[in-house]
């Protein structure tokens, strides 16, 4: 039988919302501590790992916890002795409920345990002895109300029958109330005879229906009196009244009335309560003389909603009658809702989607009807909502996306209010913290960065600082800086600059030269420490500023030690005659490249002037006696401090070449040759010498055979012109200062006549003479026009020098042009 009683009977009901279910068990009362109630893991379909990770626990509120959850086994066991009579009293069926809550995700399961009654209580009479004084004149059929027994058990284990010990005068008559309770009366079956039996001793036995059966008894002593043949009678079979809960002591409820046809002492009636339950004895009172019923103690609607009381009227002769008094308790809104926090997920990630359950609260109101109807709400202007999920349970859910950068925490006030009049409410405040998610990329304080840096800086110099901020928190807001992979001139940007990953300071890796690189454009990436990391880029421009670190360089006239170049000025030249133009450049920029020209030294400064901006050398006065002039022109830039270069210009004032040739031998020569040019010249001389020897051998061979024919050729006026060396001329085209040169060479040769000629076209406005390197001979057109009468050896020597100088000059002009082109 015990095994059958302990068998688990359960059912599972599924509800809406976040994994809610309900389960029910039945167990007998008085089970020992630790005995099994049921396997909740199996019945709810949960594994042991879920119970442990979800921190499964039992929530009972303010009531006693009779069950314990063993998460390692997933079972419910008895934790406290359960007395059904103490727990529920007369209420059937008797049960208690609690909730099992799991987290991550939140699950709520309601468990109801029904307590099955065990026959552990015997019927008990309030008094151990009942005394009756009955007149011997009492007629047969007279009824005498007996005290009812009370059995705390219910249903079949409750009071089922009364038994009166066998006697000759009384029989027992049992009655049932509408609520199922029993009461008994002792009926006189045979007239009493005081003279025969002045006293009677009886026993009333109350028997329940349990197995094994239990019973209780009370002794009845009957004293036979002389005649009182009328019993009291109530004017109503049932009295009905109502009373407000929490009514103060002494509050009037109702009055019961009864009459007795007897007179004198036999007609005096006394009122009392009969069969009053133990918990009701201290609540109501009745005046034994007037039958007025009033409040004696505290009336709580939540504990008892209705009272049924039997009222007894007894006269002095011992005759009694009974009536029923039904008192309805009217509920008063005297209980504010009680808010219990079942679960709270704090902190919560800011990227949780709307509809996520944040907290579960349980709200109870012990009042009934409208007084127990509860409405729950939260404070406004919050991204949350509260919804009812199960009876008395509410879910706090997100109503929108959260943003930790806007609100890092919320104070959520949950308020519960009933519908009573006046309404009662209660509230509690939940502190919800929002945890950070890496949802914000670093933001630079500028859209782009631009800075300037003077060239020739020291490596490691701090150029500028890049700053980015991240609205996230902690590691997600830690910003690191990196250079994006960029190529500048075929080299990575890291070979030019570096950046401190912690503070964003950009340093120069090397020294910059404005003439090589004028601007650096690259991108800097700011990356946070989140997972995955977020980043943003910003463009950085570093403008290299020029320093005056380059002196002007003179392009024309070219200073060379190979020959002395002179500018010829006719004696008839007017004032302002353009002698030549000094052309110079400065590879710097801006005002560092603004050049000015000054005449530093001159043989006679009064004869010439130099254009300050264009470098043009013009005549100021004409000195008919001056033949040669040496001018030193200074070219100076506008930098701070300024740099300069000098150039020497030789000027010959003459109308013809022979007039001034002898004067140029006195000019000093600059021996500071260019190393590369010297190398090329030496190489050219070696090649010319080799070709000369070969040519001489060939010419001698031919001349030995045809020397007379050659002699006739020279007598006929044929001559070979000497080609002078002409330096490159300048032309100021458009005022831009750009050198533009055009050289025209025309070579005409005929094999039959042995005639050769070389023409060099030059601007007609210029007159240039050329001296050989020794300064002792000058080749003029007039000399070439004179016929010669030298012998064969002179002719050979003449041909030698002609070939040598012609070839040499051609090589020099070619080398000079290459050098000038590379220099510019």
């Amino acid at each position: 039988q015990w095994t059958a009683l302990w068998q688990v009977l359960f059912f599972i009901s599924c509800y809406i919302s976040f994994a809610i279910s309900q389960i029910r068990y039945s167990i007998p009362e008085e089970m020992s501590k630790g005995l099994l109630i049921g396997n909740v893991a199996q019945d709810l379909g949960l594994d042991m790992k879920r119970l442990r990770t979800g921190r499964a626990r039992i929530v009972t509120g303010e009531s006693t916890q009779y069950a314990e959850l063993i998460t390692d086994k997933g079972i419910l066991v008895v934790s406290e002795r359960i007395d059904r009579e103490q727990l529920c009293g007369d209420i059937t069926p008797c049960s208690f409920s609690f909730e099992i809550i799991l987290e991550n995700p939140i699950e709520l399961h309601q468990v109801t345990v029904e307590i099955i009654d065990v026959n552990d209580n015997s019927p008990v009479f309030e008094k151990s002895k009942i005394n009756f004084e009955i007149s011997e004149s009492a007629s047969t059929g007279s009824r005498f109300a007996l005290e009812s027994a009370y059995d705390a058990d219910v249903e079949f284990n409750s009071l089922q029958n009364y038994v009166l010990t066998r006697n000759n005068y009384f029989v027992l008559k049992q009655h049932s109330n509408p609520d199922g309770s029993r009461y008994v009366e002792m009926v006189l079956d045979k007239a009493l005879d005081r003279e025969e039996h002045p006293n009677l001793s009886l026993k009333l036995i109350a028997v329940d229906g349990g197995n094994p059966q239990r019973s209780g008894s009370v002794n009845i002593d009957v004293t036979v009196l002389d005649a009182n043949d009328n019993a009291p009678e109530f004017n109503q079979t049932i009295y009905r009244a109502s009373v407000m809960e929490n009514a103060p002591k002494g509050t009037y409820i109702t009055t019961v009335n009864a009459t007795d046809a007897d007179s004198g002492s036999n007609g005096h009636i006394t009122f009392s309560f009969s069969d009053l339950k133990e918990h009701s004895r201290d609540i109501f009172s009745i005046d034994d003389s007037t039958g007025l019923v009033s409040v004696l103690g505290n009336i709580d609607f939540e504990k008892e909603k209705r009272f049924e009381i039997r009222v007894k009227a007894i006269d002095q002769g011992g005759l009694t009658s009974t009536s029923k008094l039904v008192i309805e308790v009217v509920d008063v809104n005297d209980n504010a809702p009680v808010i219990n926090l079942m679960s709270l997920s704090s902190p919560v990630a800011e990227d949780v989607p709307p509809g996520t359950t944040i907290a579960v609260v349980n709200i109870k109101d012990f009042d009934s009807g409208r007084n127990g109807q509860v409405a729950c709400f939260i404070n406004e202007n919050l991204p949350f909502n509260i919804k009812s999920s199960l009876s008395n349970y509410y879910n706090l859910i997100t109503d929108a996306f959260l943003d930790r950068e806007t609100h890092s925490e919320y104070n959520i006030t949950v308020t519960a209010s009933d519908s009573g009049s006046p309404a009662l409410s209660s509230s509690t405040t939940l502190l919800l913290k929002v945890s950070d998610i890496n949802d914000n990329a670093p933001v630079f304080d500028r859209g782009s960065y631009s800075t300037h840096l003077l060239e020739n800086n020291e490596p490691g110099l701090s150029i500028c600082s890049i700053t980015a901020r991240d609205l996230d928190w902690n590691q997600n807001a830690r910003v690191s800086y990196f250079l994006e992979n960029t190529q500048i001139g075929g080299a990575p940007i890291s070979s030019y600059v570096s950046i401190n990953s912690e503070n964003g300071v950009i340093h120069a890796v090397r020294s910059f030269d404005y003439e090589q690189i004028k601007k650096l454009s690259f991108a800097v990436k700011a990356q946070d420490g989140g997972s995955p990391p977020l980043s943003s880029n910003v463009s950085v421009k570093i403008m290299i500023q020029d320093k005056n670190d380059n002196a002007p360089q003179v392009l024309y006239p070219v200073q060379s030690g190979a020959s002395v170049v002179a500018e010829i000025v006719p004696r008839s030249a007017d004032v302002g005659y353009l002698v030549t133009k000094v052309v110079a450049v400065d590879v710097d920029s801006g005002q560092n490249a603004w050049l000015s020209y000054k005449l530093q030294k001159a043989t006679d400064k009064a004869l010439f002037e130099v254009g300050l901006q264009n470098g043009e050398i013009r005549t100021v006065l004409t000195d008919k006696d001056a033949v040669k002039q040496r001018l030193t022109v200074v070219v100076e830039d506008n930098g701070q401090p300024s740099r300069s270069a000098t150039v020497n210009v030789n000027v010959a004032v003459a109308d013809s070449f022979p007039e001034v040739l002898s004067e140029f031998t006195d000019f000093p020569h600059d021996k500071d040759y260019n190393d590369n040019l010297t190398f090329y010249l030496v190489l050219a001389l070696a090649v010319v010498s080799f070709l000369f020897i070969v040519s001489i051998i060939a010419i001698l061979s031919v001349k030995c055979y045809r020397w007379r024919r050659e002699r006739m050729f020279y007598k006929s006026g044929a001559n070979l012109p000497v080609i002078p060396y002409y330096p490159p001329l300048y032309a100021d085209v458009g005022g831009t200062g750009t050198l533009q040169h055009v050289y025209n060479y025309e070579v005409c040769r005929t094999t039959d006549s042995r005639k050769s000629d070389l023409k060099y076209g030059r601007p007609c406005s210029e007159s240039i003479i050329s001296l050989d390197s020794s300064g002792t001979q000058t080749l003029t057109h007039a000399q070439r026009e004179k016929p010669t009468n030298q012998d064969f050896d002179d002719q050979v020597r003449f041909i030698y020098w002609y070939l040598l100088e012609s070839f040499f000059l051609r090589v020099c002009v070619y080398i000079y042009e290459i050098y000038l082109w590379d220099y510019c």
Side-chain angles (χ1 to χ4, degrees), residues 673-687 811 815:
Y673 302 135
N674 183 279
D675 294 338
N676 292 332
L677 185 59
T678 302
F679 170 75
Y680 292 140
L681 294 177
V682 172
L683 180 62
L685 287 175
V687 173
V811 172
I815 294 173

Side-chain angles (χ1 to χ4, degrees), residues 248-312:
K249 183 178 179 180
T251 300
Y252 171 81
I253 298 176
T254 189
T255 300
V256 297
N257 294 310
T259 59
D260 195 317
D262 293 325
S263 62
S265 61
N266 292 329
H268 182 73
I269 300 173
T270 302
F271 298 96
S272 63
F273 290 137
S274 175
D275 303 334
L276 192 62
K277 295 180 180 179
E278 182 177 0
H279 66 277
S280 302
R281 292 174 185 171
D282 298 329
I283 298 178
F284 304 104
S285 66
I286 187 171
D287 190 287
D288 59 357
S289 299
T290 62
L292 186 145
V293 180
S294 61
V295 176
L296 180 63
N298 182 42
I299 302 175
D300 191 351
F301 176 85
E302 287 68 44
K303 291 183 179 179
E304 195 77 36
K305 299 177 178 60
R306 175 189 174 107
F307 294 91
E308 291 187 3
I309 304 172
R310 296 205 64 82
V311 181
K312 180 173 67 175

